[in-house]
């Protein structure tokens, strides 16, 4: 039906029907989407762009991630770096990638695969290690108490499990 692999993956992710359109949306169409739909589109757009970037240019060094800028991320996404509607998202993506570069350099001796080795493929240990990065420490407040959701860390661990087919 003309959908690419990323769109297909997005629509099947975790058994949920995620409405990722195969054609680009206008700003008006995008604005009409529900908040979670906009987040999912951005998530898969960034994930797909990062995958393509790594496949085309190789795995970036920690130093390269720490120095990444808005123009580079916008180029990866095929977007205009001066697009005001994307400024917040692009800024978040840049900070997330820089944080990842700092984390891999400091905690994993500059080797991405050390995440798997250091945790001995234990999901709980992996989540705990990932939570050393602020972007993975998603916390909410409930009746004045701090509730750790750890959603992002759990999703990454789940994605790694899926990539390696539970091995």
């Amino acid at each position: 039906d003309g959908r690419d692999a990323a769109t297909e993956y997005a629509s099947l992710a975790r058994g949920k029907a995620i409405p990722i359109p195969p054609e680009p949306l206008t700003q008006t169409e995008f604005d009409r989407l529900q908040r979670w739909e906009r987040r999912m589109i951005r998530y898969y757009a960034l994930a797909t762009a990062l995958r393509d970037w790594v496949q085309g240019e190789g795995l970036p060094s920690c130093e390269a991630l720490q120095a990444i800028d808005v123009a580079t991320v916008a180029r990866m996404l095929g977007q205009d770096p001066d697009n005001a509607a994307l400024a917040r998202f692009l800024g978040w993506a840049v900070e997330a990638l820089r944080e990842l570069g700092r984390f891999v350099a400091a905690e994993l001796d500059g080797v991405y695969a050390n995440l798997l080795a250091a945790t001995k493929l234990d999901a709980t240990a992996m989540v705990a290690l990932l939570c050393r990065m602020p972007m993975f420490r998603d916390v909410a407040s409930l009746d004045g108490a701090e509730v750790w959701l750890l959603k992002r860390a759990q999703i990454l661990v789940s994605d790694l499990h899926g990539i390696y087919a539970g091995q």
Side-chain angles (χ1 to χ4, degrees), residues 14-166:
R14 292 175 195 64
K16 296 177 185 172
I18 301 168
I20 308 287
E23 299 297 323
L25 297 173
T26 66
Q27 186 63 47
T28 302
E29 292 169 328
F30 185 78
D31 290 342
R32 287 184 187 146
L33 295 174
Q34 293 182 30
R35 186 174 172 203
W36 71 269
E37 292 173 313
R38 291 191 301 265
R39 285 184 177 170
M40 293 306 294
I41 288 172
R42 288 179 179 139
Y43 167 81
Y44 287 106
L46 183 59
T48 300
L50 288 170
R51 181 204 61 212
D52 293 348
W53 184 49
V54 168
Q55 287 176 345
E57 298 187 25
L59 198 60
S61 68
C62 299
E63 296 78 18
L65 284 183
Q66 291 176 64
I68 202 160
D69 58 19
V70 169
T72 302
V73 173
R75 188 177 65 248
M76 287 174 13
L77 291 164
Q79 298 295 322
D80 176 359
D82 298 322
N83 182 340
L86 291 176
R88 185 172 165 203
F89 174 69
L90 291 173
W92 173 86
V94 166
E95 186 49 41
L97 291 168
R98 287 177 180 171
E99 184 176 299
L100 176 62
R102 290 188 300 269
F103 172 78
V104 173
E107 301 286 338
L108 303 175
D109 297 323
V111 180
Y112 297 95
N114 282 349
L115 174 64
L116 304 175
T119 59
K120 298 183 176 122
L121 303 178
D122 178 76
T124 303
M126 205 173 296
V127 168
L129 184 59
L130 288 168
C131 286
R132 292 183 186 173
M133 285 185 281
M135 77 173 130
F136 282 102
R137 280 187 246 139
D138 41 341
V139 179
S141 180
L142 178 65
D143 297 329
E146 197 173 70
V147 179
W148 287 66
L149 303 174
L150 310 179
K151 179 182 78 173
R152 292 182 186 117
Q154 293 177 56
I155 289 171
L156 176 59
V157 171
S158 174
D159 286 349
L160 289 172
H161 182 274
I163 289 169
Y164 294 104

